[in-house]
C-alpha cells in the first residue's frame, strides 16, 4: 500500500523499500540505496572542512558547476534563488554591485579561508570557483571577529587534482537582445507646457515650455501647411536666411521607439583555459580567464582578465603546503552613470524627451561650427543629448588586483600539528571623469572638467596555530585549533580635479582654467591593525552528540584605548536522533541543532577614525592658504561598539532513503549599542551627538527542500526549493523615546518608526482624507495632512523570498530551470512618479488634457471638500477630534497643472508599489557528446549548452523591474541568450 502510494506520487521509482532492493518496477532500473551520502563535507570558517551533520548552525553549499555555463559578469547574480536566507537584489546597470543580504545584513566574503574586506565581487572569476558555502549567522562565522558578525560567503577555488595532466577550455557567449521590462511612455503629446511649444534657442524658457512633456498634440492635420500637419519651430529646424529664424517643421511623433533605437544589443563573452595536473607529491592548476561585456548603452563596456595559479606540495614527510595566487584586472574606457539625475541616460531619454524628438537624429551631437564647445540638443539648459553623454562624458576605470595566500601544516606528532597561513590582498585603482564643455548638471552648464582619482590598498593577514585531533574511543573524539593572528591594512586615496578646461577636449590637469581642487573627502590615508587570539573545540560523543565552542579576542586600532578590546564567544551543538532512537523506516536521518553567539563591530559607523574628534582640512582656502575646521560631531567619550547577540535552532530530516531532504532554521538576533546621531543646538558648537542608542531585533525562518523526484538509470529529475522569511523590529529608541527615524533605500529617505514596529516601514506625509478614505481637496487641489507624524506606506522587506530549481537529465541531455522571486514587500518608484509629473505617463492621455491645452479648466478630482469644521491630532498623530463636514468636490482645475502639482500621487498610492514578482532566472539545455565521438575530435570530453537568463518576469509594478528592490531610474532589464562550449583534453 505504501509503495503504491509513493509510486503514484512520482517520488519512488525503483528504489530500495524498507531495506530490500526492488529490481524493476514498470521497467525502472534498480537504484542503489546509499548513493546519496548524509556525511556531506562542507567548508566552514577558516576554510576548515567539517561533516555537515555535526554542525549546530545552518550552512548551505552551492557547487561551482552552476557558474560555468550561464555566465554573469558578476558571479553573485548566479546565486539568486539558490540559497535560503540570501537575498540578491540584481542590478540591471553595467558594473554595478548587486545588493546582497544574508538574514538582513551584508555578509563577509571569504576566499580560500582569507576574508576579503574590499568585497570586490567583480574580480572573482566564476570558472575558478570550486564551491561556495554560505555560513548563516554569527555563530557560523564568529571566528572571523567583527567582519564576520553577519555570516559569510565562503568561496573555495579550484585546486589541482591527482592524475594525468588535463586541459579544459570553457567558452560562453551571451547576447542581451531584448528588454524584459521597459517604461511605456505616451507618444500622443510632445514637449512643451500647457499645450504649447516653439523652439527659440534651447534654453527651455518661454514657448519651449521649461523642458516639460506637456506640449501640443502630435500628428495633427493642418491643410494650410506644406506638410499637411501642424508645424512649429523645432531644435532641428533649418534657419531661414532672410529672417535668421528657425523654419517650422511638422509636429509629428518621430520618436515612438526612442528606447529601442538608442540601446544596442549587449554581449557577454567569457573564455577560460585551465591546466590541471597532480601526483602524490604535488598538484597544480593554472587558469587564464577573460570576460568582455559590451553594454547596451552605446560606447560602454567592461573587461576583466584573470590569471590564477593554485597548487599544493609535500616537500618532506609530514609537511603540506597549499598556495593560491591570482592577478585580476578590471578595465573599461567608459561605463554608464546610474541614479536619477542629468547624468543618467534614461533621465534624458525616457522622462524628458517627448516623441517629437527622434533620438537617431541626435547622433550628430555637436552644433555645426561649435564642435567641442556646444552639444546639440532640443534643450541645452536642463538635459544632455544621450549620444553626447555616451561618447563625450567618459568614465575610464582601471583596477589591478592581486590576491594570494600560503597555508602550511606540519604534523608534529600523530595527533598534533602546527599550522600557519599568510593571506594578502592588494589593489591599485585609477579612475577618471572626463566632462565635456556644455555638459549639463543640475542647474549648471560645464566649462569642461577633468577629475583624476587614485586608490591603493594593501592588507595582510598572518596566522599561526596548533591543531589537536584525537579519537579517544569509539564514543568520544575531540578536535581543537588555536591561533594568534595579526591583520594589517593600509589604504591611500587621492583625488584632484580641474576648475574648468582652457582647451575643451584636452583632459589634463595642466589644462585647468583656475587652481586645481583637491576635495578633503577624496584625499585620505588610513591604517588599521587587529591583533587576535582565537580558537575552537569540537567534540563528538557516541556519534550522536556534537558540540562546538569558539572564542576570539580582538584588540583593534579603530576604537579608543581602554575600550578597544572585546570578546566573541559562540557555542553550537547538534543531536542525531537516528543514532539515539529507532525511527520509522521512511525516515532516513534526523538531526536537531542549536547555537548561540555574541559578536561586536570593531569600528564606529564603519569609519577607521570615527572615534577621533580632531581638526580637519576644509575645502575652503583663504588668500591661498589652507583652512581647518573642527568636526561638528560630538562623540560620546564612553561610546561602545555595536554588538549582536544571536541564537538559532533548526532541524535536518531525510526521508525515503535520502530521496527527500528538508532543512529548517529559525533564528533571532538582538542588535544593541547601535550608533545614534542626536541633533544638538548649534549654540554648543556641534550639530550632532554620536552615542549608543537604538536596539533592534531580527528574526526569521528558512526552509530548504531537496528531492530526487525520479531516479532511473536513463532519466533523473531533482528539485530544490529555498524559502525564507525575515523581519527586523525597533525594540528601543535612544533616550527612552517611543520613535526614531531610519533611512531606507527602498524610498530613499528617513522613515518614521515607532518602538515595537518593523524597522523596514516606509513612511510619507500623505494628503488629508475623510473618515471613509476619500481625498480632501481645497480649491480643487489636495490638502496636505497636518498630522505630526508620517503615515505608513508599506514595508520594504518581502514576506517571503524564494527560489525553485529543477534539473532533468535524459541520457546525454540535461535541462535545468531556475525560478526565483519575492512575495510582498513595498518599494517607491521614482520612474513612475516622474512619468506622471513630467507628462510622459500613458495615463495622462485623456480629454482633460486636451481641454487644458485649449485653456479650459475641466478636471474635477475625485474626493470631497470641507464646508465647515476642522480636524486636530494629538502628539502621537492620532485624531483627537474631527468636526469636518464634507460635500463632493465640484471645483474644476487645469488638468496639466494638477498633475504637475500632485504626480497623480493619491490615485497611485503615492507611487509605492508591491515588489512581488516571479522571474524565470535561468534555463540551460546541455548535450554531452558521446565519449567515442569526443575521442574522434581528439578530446576526452565535450559538451555544448544553450542558455537563457532573465527570460520572463511577472509583477504588478509598471515600467520597472522590481528585482533590485529600489527604483532610481535604472537601465531596463534585458533578456540574455547564448551558447556555452566546454571541452576537456
Amino acid at each position: 500500500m505504501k509503495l503504491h502510494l509513493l509510486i503514484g506520487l512520482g517520488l519512488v521509482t525503483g528504489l530500495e523499500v524498507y531495506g530490500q532492493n526492488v529490481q524493476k518496477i514498470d521497467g525502472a532500473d534498480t537504484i542503489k540505496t546509499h548513493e546519496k551520502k548524509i556525511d556531506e563535507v562542507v567548508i566552514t570558517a577558516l576554510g576548515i572542512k567539517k561533516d555537515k551533520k555535526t554542525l549546530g548552525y545552518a550552512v548551505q553549499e552551492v557547487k561551482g558547476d552552476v557558474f560555468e555555463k550561464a555566465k554573469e559578469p558578476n558571479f553573485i547574480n548566479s546565486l539568486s534563488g539558490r540559497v535560503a536566507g540570501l537575498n540578491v537584489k540584481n542590478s540591471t546597470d553595467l558594473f554595478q554591485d548587486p545588493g546582497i543580504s544574508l538574514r538582513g545584513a551584508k555578509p563577509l566574503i571569504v576566499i580560500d579561508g582569507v576574508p576579503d574586506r574590499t568585497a570586490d565581487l567583480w574580480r572573482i572569476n566564476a570558472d575558478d570557483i570550486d564551491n561556495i558555502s554560505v555560513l548563516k549567522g554569527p555563530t557560523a562565522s564568529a571566528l572571523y571577529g567583527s567582519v564576520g558578525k553577519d555570516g559569510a560567503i565562503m568561496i573555495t577555488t579550484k585546486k589541482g587534482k591527482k592524475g594525468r595532466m588535463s586541459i579544459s577550455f570553457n567558452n560562453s557567449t551571451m547576447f542581451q537582445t531584448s528588454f524584459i521590462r521597459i517604461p511605456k511612455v505616451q507618444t500622443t503629446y510632445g514637449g512643451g507646457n500647457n499645450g504649447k511649444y516653439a523652439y527659440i534657442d534651447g534654453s527651455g524658457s518661454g514657448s519651449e515650455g521649461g523642458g516639460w512633456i506637456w506640449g501640443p498634440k502630435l500628428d495633427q492635420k493642418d491643410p494650410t501647411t506644406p506638410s499637411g500637419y501642424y508645424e512649429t519651430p523645432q531644435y532641428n529646424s533649418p534657419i531661414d536666411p532672410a529672417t535668421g529664424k528657425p523654419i517650422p517643421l511638422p509636429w509629428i511623433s518621430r520618436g515612438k521607439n526612442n528606447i529601442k533605437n538608442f540601446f544596442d544589443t549587449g554581449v557577454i563573452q567569457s573564455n577560460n583555459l585551465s591546466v590541471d595536473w597532480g601526483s602524490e607529491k604535488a598538484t597544480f592548476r593554472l587558469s587564464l580567464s577573460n570576460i568582455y561585456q559590451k553594454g547596451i548603452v552605446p560606447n560602454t563596456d567592461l573587461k576583466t582578465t584573470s590569471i590564477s595559479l593554485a597548487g599544493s606540495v609535500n616537500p618532506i614527510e609530514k609537511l603540506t603546503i597549499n598556495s593560491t595566487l591570482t592577478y585580476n584586472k578590471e578595465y573599461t574606457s567608459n561605463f554608464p552613470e546610474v541614479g536619477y539625475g542629468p547624468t543618467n541616460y534614461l533621465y534624458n531619454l525616457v522622462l524628458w524627451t517627448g516623441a517629437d524628438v527622434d533620438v537617431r537624429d541626435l547622433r550628430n551631437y555637436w552644433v555645426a561650427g561649435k564642435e567641442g564647445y556646444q552639444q546639440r540638443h532640443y534643450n541645452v539648459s536642463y538635459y544632455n543629448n544621450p549620444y553626447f553623454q555616451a561618447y563625450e562624458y567618459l568614465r575610464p576605470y582601471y583596477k589591478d588586483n592581486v590576491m594570494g595566500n600560503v597555508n602550511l601544516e606540519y604534523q608534529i606528532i600523530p595527533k598534533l600539528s602546527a599550522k600557519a597561513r599568510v593571506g594578502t590582498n592588494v589593489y591599485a585603482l585609477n579612475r577618471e571623469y572626463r566632462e565635456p564643455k556644455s555638459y549639463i548638471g543640475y542647474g549648471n552648464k560645464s566649462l569642461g572638467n577633468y577629475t583624476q582619482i587614485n586608490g591603493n590598498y594593501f592588507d595582510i593577514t598572518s596566522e599561526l596555530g596548533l591543531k589537536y585531533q584525537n579519537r579517544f574511543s569509539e564514543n568520544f573524539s575531540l578536535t581543537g585549533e588555536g591561533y594568534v593572528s595579526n591583520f594589517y591594512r593600509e589604504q591611500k586615496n587621492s583625488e584632484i580635479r580641474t576648475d574648468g578646461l582652457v582647451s575643451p577636449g584636452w583632459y589634463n590637469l595642466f589644462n585647468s582654467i583656475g587652481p586645481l581642487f583637491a576635495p578633503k573627502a577624496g584625499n585620505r590615508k588610513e591604517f588599521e591593525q587587529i591583533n587576535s587570539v582565537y580558537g575552537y573545540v569540537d567534540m563528538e560523543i557516541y556519534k550522536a552528540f556534537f558540540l562546538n565552542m569558539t572564542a576570539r579576542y580582538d584588540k583593534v586600532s579603530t576604537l579608543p584605548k581602554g575600550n578597544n578590546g572585546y570578546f566573541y564567544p559562540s557555542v553550537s551543538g547538534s543531536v542525531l536522533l537516528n543514532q539515539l532512537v529507532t525511527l520509522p523506516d521512511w525516515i532516513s536521518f534526523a538531526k536537531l541543532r542549536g547555537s548561540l553567539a555574541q559578536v561586536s563591530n570593531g569600528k564606529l559607523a564603519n569609519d577607521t577614525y570615527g572615534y577621533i574628534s580632531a581638526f580637519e582640512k576644509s575645502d575652503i582656502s583663504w588668500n591661498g592658504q589652507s583652512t581647518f575646521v573642527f568636526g561638528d560631531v560630538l562623540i560620546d567619550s564612553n561610546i561602545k561598539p555595536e554588538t549582536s547577540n544571536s541564537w538559532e535552532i533548526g532541524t535536518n530530516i531525510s526521508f525515503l532513503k535520502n530521496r527527500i531532504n528538508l532543512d529548517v532554521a529559525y533564528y533571532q538576533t538582538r542588535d544593541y549599542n547601535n550608533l545614534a546621531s542626536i541633533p544638538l543646538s548649534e549654540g554648543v558648537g556641534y550639530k550632532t551627538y554620536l552615542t549608543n542608542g537604538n536596539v533592534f531585533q531580527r528574526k526569521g525562518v528558512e526552509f530548504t527542500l531537496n528531492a530526487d523526484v525520479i531516479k532511473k538509470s536513463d532519466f533523473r529529475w531533482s528539485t530544490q526549493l529555498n524559502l525564507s522569511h525575515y523581519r527586523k523590529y525597533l525594540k528601543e529608541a535612544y533616550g527612552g523615546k517611543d520613535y526614531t527615524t531610519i533611512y531606507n533605500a527602498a524610498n530613499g529617505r528617513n522613515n518614521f518608526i515607532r518602538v515595537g514596529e518593523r524597522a523596514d516601514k516606509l513612511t510619507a506625509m500623505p494628503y488629508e482624507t475623510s473618515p471613509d478614505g476619500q481625498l480632501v481637496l481645497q480649491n480643487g487641489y489636495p490638502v496636505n495632512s497636518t498630522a505630526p507624524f508620517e503615515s505608513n506606506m508599506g514595508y520594504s522587506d518581502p514576506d517571503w523570498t524564494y527560489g525553485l530549481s529543477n534539473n532533468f537529465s535524459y541520457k546525454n541531455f540535461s535541462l535545468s530551470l531556475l525560478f526565483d522571486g519575492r512575495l510582498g514587500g513595498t518599494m517607491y518608484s521614482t520612474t513612475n512618479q516622474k512619468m506622471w509629473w513630467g507628462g510622459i505617463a500613458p495615463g495622462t492621455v485623456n480629454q482633460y488634457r486636451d481641454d487644458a491645452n485649449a485653456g479650459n479648466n475641466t478636471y474635477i478630482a475625485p474626493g470631497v471638500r470641507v464646508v465647515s469644521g476642522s480636524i486636530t491630532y494629538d502628539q502621537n498623530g492620532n485624531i483627537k477630534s474631527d468636526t469636518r463636514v464634507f460635500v463632493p468636490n465640484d471645483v474644476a482645475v487645469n488638468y496639466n497643472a494638477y498633475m504637475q502639482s500632485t504626480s497623480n500621487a493619491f490615485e497611485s498610492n503615492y507611487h509605492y508599489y508591491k515588489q512581488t514578482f516571479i522571474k524565470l532566472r535561468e534555463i540551460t539545455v546541455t548535450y554531452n557528446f558521446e565519449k567515442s565521438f569526443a575521442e574522434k575530435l581528439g578530446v576526452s570530453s565535450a559538451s555544448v549548452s544553450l542558455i537563457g537568463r532573465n527570460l520572463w518576469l511577472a509583477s504588478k509594478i509598471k515600467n520597472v523591474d522590481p528585482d533590485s528592490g529600489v527604483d532610481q531610474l535604472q537601465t531596463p532589464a534585458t533578456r540574455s541568450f547564448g551558447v556555452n562550449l566546454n571541452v576537456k583534453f
Side-chain angles (χ1 to χ4, degrees):
M1 176 65 183
K2 292 182 180 178
L3 176 61
H4 288 292
L5 175 62
L6 294 173
I7 294 173
L9 292 173
L11 294 173
V12 178
T13 308
L15 76 158
E16 183 186 25
V17 181
Y18 307 131
Q20 296 183 359
N21 288 325
V22 178
Q23 296 301 320
K24 284 198 175 183
I25 299 177
D26 296 333
D29 294 328
T30 301
I31 300 295
K32 298 295 183 182
T33 306
H34 302 296
E35 283 188 335
K36 181 184 286 185
K37 300 291 185 182
I38 288 296
D39 296 334
E40 182 182 356
V41 176
V42 294
I43 304 297
T44 64
L46 306 181
I48 299 169
K49 295 181 180 180
K50 293 186 179 182
D51 288 339
K52 191 173 182 180
K53 69 180 182 181
T54 69
L55 301 179
Y57 47 81
V59 176
Q60 197 165 346
E61 190 173 45
V62 180
K63 299 296 184 183
D65 54 8
V66 305
F67 308 106
E68 290 182 352
K69 295 182 174 64
K71 291 294 180 64
E72 288 279 330
N74 192 314
F75 80 96
I76 285 289
N77 291 335
S78 298
L79 287 177
S80 295
R82 299 188 189 276
V83 178
L86 181 67
N87 195 357
V88 182
K89 295 184 176 180
N90 294 273
S91 173
T92 55
D93 291 302
L94 179 67
F95 205 23
Q96 298 302 306
D97 283 336
I100 57 172
S101 64
L102 181 61
R103 295 183 173 180
K106 190 172 182 178
L108 172 68
I109 303 297
V110 181
I111 304 173
D112 290 325
V114 180
D116 177 13
R117 288 168 167 84
T118 67
D120 183 356
L121 305 175
W122 294 91
R123 66 181 184 176
I124 299 171
N125 176 36
D127 287 290
D128 291 334
I129 297 175
D130 183 58
N131 67 74
I132 290 178
S133 290
V134 180
L135 310 185
K136 304 177 184 180
T139 305
S141 52
L143 284 176
Y144 286 117
S146 63
V147 293
K149 73 184 186 70
D150 296 312
I153 296 178
M154 307 286 298
I155 301 168
T156 302
T157 60
K158 294 176 181 177
K159 310 296 190 297
K161 298 178 181 179
K162 295 178 181 180
R164 70 181 183 88
M165 179 181 291
S166 64
I167 301 174
S168 299
F169 175 73
N170 189 28
N171 168 270
S172 290
T173 303
M174 304 286 289
F175 296 95
Q176 297 173 307
T177 59
S178 60
F179 298 105
I180 195 170
R181 179 69 58 85
I182 59 173
K184 293 182 179 179
V185 300
Q186 61 85 9
T187 58
T188 304
Y189 303 90
N193 199 12
N194 294 318
K196 297 179 175 57
Y197 180 82
Y199 181 82
I200 304 174
D201 56 8
S203 65
S205 60
S207 59
E208 292 183 9
W212 295 98
I213 315 299
W214 290 99
K217 211 166 192 176
L218 297 161
D219 305 318
Q220 298 301 295
K221 300 287 187 178
D222 185 346
T224 65
T225 66
S227 65
Y229 288 93
Y230 166 73
E231 295 182 351
T232 187
Q234 297 172 51
Y235 77 99
N236 54 351
S237 292
I239 302 300
D240 186 332
T243 64
K245 294 183 177 181
I247 298 174
L249 292 177
W251 186 252
I252 57 177
S253 52
R254 305 177 181 87
K256 287 187 175 182
N257 297 309
N258 277 342
I259 294 178
K260 292 182 179 179
N261 288 337
F262 176 74
F263 289 108
D264 293 336
T265 297
V267 179
I268 303 174
Q269 175 78 41
S270 173
N271 293 286
N272 175 259
L273 178 67
S274 65
V275 180
D276 191 299
W277 174 86
S279 68
E280 294 297 326
K281 285 290 186 180
T283 65
F284 85 91
R285 180 179 185 270
L286 175 65
S287 172
L288 307 172
S289 299
N290 175 263
I291 300 176
Y292 167 73
Q293 182 176 7
K294 175 182 176 291
I296 63 172
V297 174
N299 197 40
T300 61
D301 63 10
L302 174 64
K303 298 175 279 288
T304 59
T305 298
S306 299
I307 302 174
S308 179
L309 179 64
S312 66
V313 63
N314 300 101
I316 59 174
E317 188 179 359
K318 300 181 181 180
L319 176 63
T320 302
I321 302 175
N322 295 285
S323 181
T324 62
L325 179 64
T326 299
Y327 167 77
N328 168 271
K329 187 177 185 66
E330 305 161 28
Y331 52 109
T332 172
S333 56
N334 187 36
F335 68 99
E337 192 88 24
V338 299
Y340 182 82
T343 56
N344 186 311
Y345 298 90
L346 294 179
Y347 177 90
N348 303 291
L349 185 63
V350 174
L351 296 183
W352 305 112
T353 299
D356 54 293
V357 177
D358 186 346
V359 70
R360 292 170 295 185
D361 179 68
L362 298 174
R363 286 176 178 167
N364 182 12
Y365 52 78
W366 289 117
V367 172
K370 297 183 178 180
E371 289 82 1
Y373 286 85
Q374 179 57 58
Q375 64 168 305
R376 173 177 172 266
H377 200 23
Y378 84 93
N379 183 299
V380 292
S381 292
Y382 307 135
Y383 314 120
N384 291 295
N385 179 319
Y387 287 102
F388 170 78
Q389 218 171 337
Y391 288 95
E392 297 297 331
Y393 178 60
L394 304 181
R395 304 174 68 209
Y397 183 101
Y398 304 94
K399 187 179 182 186
D400 295 280
N401 300 286
V402 176
M403 299 175 290
N405 65 80
V406 178
N407 296 268
L408 297 90
E409 183 170 0
Y410 181 75
Q411 195 75 41
I412 302 172
I413 57 176
K415 297 179 178 61
L416 182 67
S417 59
K419 300 179 72 173
R421 170 165 38 208
V422 177
T424 189
N425 181 8
V426 183
Y427 74 70
L429 171 66
N430 176 264
R431 296 192 63 178
E432 297 178 32
Y433 290 82
R434 302 178 181 181
E435 185 179 286
K437 190 175 178 64
S438 76
Y439 185 79
I440 303 299
Y442 272 118
N444 64 76
K445 184 181 293 186
S446 176
L447 297 174
N449 237 323
Y450 175 60
T451 302
Q452 194 175 85
I453 299 173
N454 291 287
N456 291 279
Y457 179 95
F458 167 80
D459 77 36
I460 184 167
T461 302
S462 306
E463 300 171 334
L464 181 64
L466 294 172
K467 177 181 179 181
Y468 176 78
Q469 189 171 15
N470 189 11
R471 176 165 288 280
F472 294 91
S473 69
E474 283 296 313
N475 298 322
F476 180 73
S477 69
L478 182 145
T479 301
E481 296 189 39
Y483 292 86
V484 293
S485 172
N486 174 266
F487 167 76
Y488 175 78
R489 177 179 69 90
E490 182 177 313
Q491 186 169 356
K492 303 174 186 177
N493 296 309
S494 64
E495 178 179 347
I496 190 167
R497 64 174 180 257
T498 59
D499 183 25
L501 298 179
V502 176
S503 300
W506 183 36
Y507 297 103
N508 192 292
L509 295 175
F510 292 102
N511 192 31
S512 179
I513 294 175
L516 296 175
F517 178 62
K520 66 176 183 180
N523 290 272
R524 187 178 175 96
K525 190 173 183 179
E526 295 183 1
F527 300 93
E528 179 184 357
Q529 185 165 324
I530 304 174
N531 295 315
S532 310
V533 179
Y534 58 88
Y536 74 90
V537 174
D538 283 346
M539 287 184 284
E540 176 190 314
I541 304 171
Y542 290 105
K543 298 182 180 179
F545 300 95
F546 301 90
L547 180 66
N548 171 264
M549 294 177 288
T550 74
R552 177 172 177 132
Y553 180 82
D554 282 352
K555 196 159 189 178
V556 301
S557 65
T558 51
L559 290 173
K561 290 183 178 180
N563 201 21
N564 63 336
Y566 41 92
F567 182 62
Y568 307 91
S570 82
V571 60
S572 63
S574 62
V575 179
L576 304 188
L577 299 180
N578 54 294
Q579 292 289 97
L580 299 177
V581 297
T582 301
L583 300 174
D585 290 342
W586 52 274
I587 298 180
S588 313
F589 173 81
K591 181 181 87 168
L592 294 177
R593 64 174 185 264
S595 65
L596 294 165
Q598 182 182 82
V599 186
S600 297
N601 193 350
K603 298 180 182 178
L604 300 183
N606 203 33
D607 186 348
T608 303
Y609 302 114
Y611 68 98
I612 299 175
S613 295
F615 284 98
E616 298 178 353
K617 184 178 182 297
S618 170
D619 287 337
I620 301 172
S621 60
W622 183 261
N623 291 331
Q625 299 296 317
S626 298
T627 61
F628 293 81
V629 296
F630 200 78
D632 57 8
V633 178
L634 176 62
I635 302 174
D636 184 348
S637 60
N638 294 316
I639 200 164
K640 300 177 180 65
E642 297 174 307
T643 303
S644 297
N645 288 340
S646 180
W647 61 268
E648 173 185 337
I649 57 173
T651 185
N652 182 211
I653 306 176
S654 293
F655 306 95
L656 305 177
K657 303 301 179 183
N658 307 324
R659 292 284 291 276
I660 302 175
N661 185 280
L662 174 66
D663 190 279
V664 183
Y666 176 82
Y667 62 90
Q668 282 196 18
T669 300
R670 182 174 181 267
D671 301 317
Y672 62 98
N673 287 339
N674 291 280
L675 299 180
S677 294
I678 312 303
L680 296 175
S681 169
E682 293 193 27
V684 302
Y686 299 93
K687 290 183 178 180
T688 57
Y689 177 56
L690 184 66
T691 185
N692 299 115
N694 306 325
V695 176
F696 297 97
Q697 181 191 58
R698 290 181 281 148
K699 59 183 180 179
V701 61
E702 299 159 356
F703 299 89
T704 298
L705 177 66
N706 290 279
D708 291 326
V709 184
I710 298 176
K711 201 169 183 182
K712 296 182 179 180
S713 60
D714 59 353
F715 178 67
R716 297 193 176 197
W717 171 19
S718 63
T719 186
Q720 182 185 75
L721 173 66
N722 292 299
L723 193 62
S724 62
H725 169 83
Y726 164 80
R727 290 289 181 262
K728 182 177 181 179
Y729 297 91
L730 174 66
K731 304 305 288 185
E732 298 176 25
Y734 171 78
K737 291 184 178 180
D738 62 354
Y739 69 90
T740 189
T741 58
I742 300 174
Y743 178 81
N744 195 320
N747 65 351
R749 63 192 301 270
N750 288 315
N751 298 271
F752 175 83
I753 314 293
R754 292 185 183 276
V755 171
E757 290 185 327
R758 288 171 54 176
D760 62 319
K761 186 174 75 169
L762 304 172
T763 63
M765 188 58 75
Y767 299 128
E768 289 282 9
T769 57
S770 63
D772 60 354
Q774 296 187 73
L775 177 65
V776 175
L777 301 108
Q778 184 178 15
N779 299 323
Y781 287 89
V783 176
N784 291 323
S785 174
T786 58
F789 297 117
E790 298 177 342
S791 296
N792 185 3
M793 298 290 112
Y795 301 92
S796 59
D797 290 328
D799 298 323
W800 294 97
T801 301
Y802 64 91
L804 176 64
S805 61
N806 286 277
N807 295 281
F808 305 88
S809 63
Y810 177 70
K811 295 184 177 179
N812 290 350
F813 287 93
S814 64
L815 167 67
S816 67
L817 299 97
L818 174 63
F819 292 86
D820 71 283
R822 296 192 286 272
L823 299 174
T826 301
M827 60 184 282
Y828 178 79
S829 175
T830 299
T831 300
N832 282 286
Q833 184 265 317
K834 298 299 183 184
M835 288 176 67
W836 279 96
W837 184 49
I840 205 73
T844 63
V845 178
N846 52 55
Q847 184 61 46
Y848 299 116
R849 182 166 181 169
D850 291 338
D851 295 341
N853 289 349
N856 300 317
N857 299 337
T858 61
Y859 182 67
I860 301 175
V864 296
R865 61 184 178 87
V866 179
V867 293
S868 65
S870 62
I871 185 173
T872 60
Y873 297 88
D874 64 19
Q875 61 181 4
N876 294 318
N878 301 311
I879 296 177
K880 192 174 180 180
S881 67
D882 188 356
T883 61
R884 295 172 298 174
V885 177
F886 305 98
V887 297
N889 177 45
D890 55 3
V891 180
V893 296
N894 182 286
Y895 178 80
N896 298 354
Y898 184 90
M899 287 301 160
Q900 290 177 21
S901 173
T902 68
S903 302
N904 200 39
F906 186 78
E907 297 297 327
S908 303
N909 193 39
Y910 301 93
H911 297 291
Y912 284 83
Y913 301 87
K914 288 296 183 184
Q915 294 185 43
T916 298
F917 75 90
I918 181 172
K919 181 175 285 189
L920 177 51
R921 183 73 63 180
E922 181 178 304
I923 293 181
T924 303
V925 181
T926 301
Y927 178 74
N928 295 293
F929 291 96
E930 294 283 357
K931 187 173 182 62
S932 58
F933 179 78
E935 289 175 347
K936 290 180 181 179
L937 298 177
V939 299
S940 60
S941 65
S943 67
V944 62
S945 303
L946 301 178
I947 309 151
R949 290 277 298 176
N950 299 320
L951 300 184
W952 172 73
L953 169 69
S955 69
K956 290 186 178 180
I957 185 172
K958 296 180 180 179
N959 300 310
V960 297
D961 181 354
D963 199 343
S964 63
V966 297
D967 172 25
Q968 286 294 324
L969 201 62
Q970 58 262 36
T971 303
T974 56
R975 297 180 179 88
S976 299
F977 301 90
V979 62
N980 172 266
L981 177 64
N982 194 304
V983 179
K984 294 184 179 180
F985 298 88

